[in-house]
Amino acid sequence: MTAPTLLVLDADPLPRLGRLTGRARIVHADPGTLAERLPQADVLLVWDFTSHAVREAWPGEGPRPRWVHTASAGVDHLMCPELAVSDTVVTNARGIFDEPIAEYVAALVLAMAKDLPRTWELQRQHEWRHRETRRVSGTRACVVGSGPIGRAIARTLKALGVNTAIVGRVPRTGIHGPDDLERLMARADWVIAAAPLTDDTYGMFDARRFGVMQPSACFVNVGRGQLVVEDALADALAKRWIAGAALDVFAAEPLTPDSPLWRVPGLLVSPHMSGDTIGWRDELAAQFVELYERWAAGKPLTNVVDKKRGYVPGH
């Protein structure tokens, strides 16, 4: 029996797939060769989850893989109309990044509350300047995104004594719906964006929504860069509509050296690293191997994405 063909859209370093030796014919591709190799693949592993090559190559001629797995939580980088309406199953890396991102958000909240960026800057200047900082316990957070990442963020902030509300696509027990978003943002000390990128969430944090926030509030985005109208955020910070912000994701990545976002007062910039802890690539590869073993055994796959919604539903 011929082993299934597994096509990997490469990124450096390559995934460790040793457990699949003899059980899959592994073929590698880059953005330039992906289109020609897609018709021969049974499975596609999108290891380079920053690339848009799948979206560009998928509409071409010939058969397509029966299953696509992306080593990321979001699927917006690969989804195109042709893939969305196809019979191909799409899965994601749900579960790998939940706790690391929650820890990172907690670190950002504490850093902004305790004015750590200015402490480090004053240290570099050898300047002793006593200041008073904010207490985190007893503050309020609005977490936008009710998936596992958003829920992990809420749990971690609650451990710090933060009163946390979660906003999701539809209201249910413990989750507010979109109609409550602006009311909750207006009361929050911390607004955390952790939603997937969909037609409904694109540009949802705009000038109007930054305008409803308290002047003492801070904004954090660890979801997708396109959730935020970046010029509106920069303007809100410059006008002191809000006290501070932290972005780990951006509309265009990486930021160019001349991007004005580097110089926005009160903005912490990090290079899309909130979920990337030591060993994270090995965790992603191990997760895919486990999914492959289920697929090869004819068992139902987990982490199946609703291709119209753009995320794994039902949790």
Side-chain angles (χ1 to χ4, degrees):
M1 182 177 177
T2 303
T5 297
L6 166 60
L7 179 62
V8 181
L9 179 60
D10 286 344
D12 187 38
L14 295 176
R16 296 185 182 183
L17 302 175
R19 279 168 51 188
L20 299 184
T21 301
R23 302 163 64 187
R25 174 178 172 264
I26 301 176
V27 178
H28 296 273
D30 58 28
T33 59
L34 180 64
E36 67 182 74
R37 296 179 184 177
L38 269 179
Q40 287 76 48
D42 297 295
V43 179
L44 172 63
L45 168 57
V46 185
W47 190 246
D48 184 0
F49 52 80
T50 65
S51 172
H52 291 170
V54 176
R55 184 190 299 168
E56 296 162 1
W58 194 272
E61 298 286 332
R64 289 295 180 259
R66 292 172 282 162
W67 168 35
V68 173
H69 177 78
T70 178
S72 61
V75 299
D76 50 278
H77 59 289
L78 59 85
M79 201 59 64
C80 62
E82 292 82 0
L83 175 55
V85 301
S86 73
D87 293 331
T88 296
V89 175
V90 175
T91 57
N92 71 356
R94 181 186 179 99
I96 298 295
F97 301 108
D98 307 354
E99 298 302 330
I101 291 178
E103 293 172 359
Y104 198 88
V105 169
L108 290 172
V109 166
L110 288 168
M112 289 188 285
K114 303 307 178 184
D115 201 21
L116 294 184
R118 186 154 43 149
T119 294
W120 290 326
E121 182 58 34
L122 291 170
Q123 178 179 343
R124 283 193 291 269
Q125 297 172 10
H126 299 184
E127 182 177 348
W128 182 282
R129 188 189 305 174
H130 181 270
R131 298 164 341 269
E132 295 177 346
T133 62
R134 300 177 65 181
R135 177 179 291 185
V136 171
S137 179
T139 60
R140 294 175 174 174
C142 173
V143 179
V144 185
S146 59
I149 292 175
R151 297 199 305 273
I153 291 169
R155 288 194 303 271
T156 304
L157 292 180
K158 286 177 182 177
L160 295 175
V162 179
N163 300 307
T164 306
I166 304 175
V167 178
R169 189 180 67 89
V170 293
R172 54 194 186 277
T173 303
I175 307 293
H176 296 267
D179 290 345
D180 292 333
L181 175 58
E182 292 188 8
R183 175 180 63 82
L184 292 170
M185 286 183 66
R187 301 172 57 196
D189 299 287
W190 317 99
V191 176
I192 317 295
L197 182 63
T198 67
D199 290 342
D200 292 332
T201 62
Y202 190 98
M204 67 183 299
F205 295 102
D206 54 12
R208 181 170 61 85
R209 290 209 160 119
F210 291 125
V212 304
M213 291 176 63
Q214 301 181 79
S216 59
C218 294
F219 175 80
V220 176
N221 186 16
V222 290
R224 281 290 179 266
Q226 294 89 343
L227 299 177
V228 177
V229 180
E230 292 172 346
D231 288 346
L233 174 60
D235 191 52
L237 287 165
K239 292 178 178 177
R240 297 186 180 179
W241 289 358
I242 61 176
L247 299 180
D248 185 57
V249 288
F250 301 85
E253 297 181 2
L255 284 187
T256 59
D258 61 349
S259 169
L261 291 174
W262 293 110
R263 301 182 296 278
V264 174
L267 176 62
L268 287 173
V269 170
S270 59
H272 204 148
M273 59 182 283
S274 61
D276 302 347
T277 53
I278 296 169
W280 66 286
R281 291 183 178 88
D282 289 342
E283 291 183 45
L284 287 171
Q287 181 189 54
F288 172 73
V289 169
E290 291 175 5
L291 285 170
Y292 184 92
E293 290 172 342
R294 292 184 64 87
W295 178 81
K299 297 179 180 179
L301 286 167
T302 57
N303 288 13
V304 175
V305 173
D306 183 319
K307 293 185 290 184
K308 293 183 179 179
R309 295 182 184 178
Y311 54 88
V312 179
H315 299 280

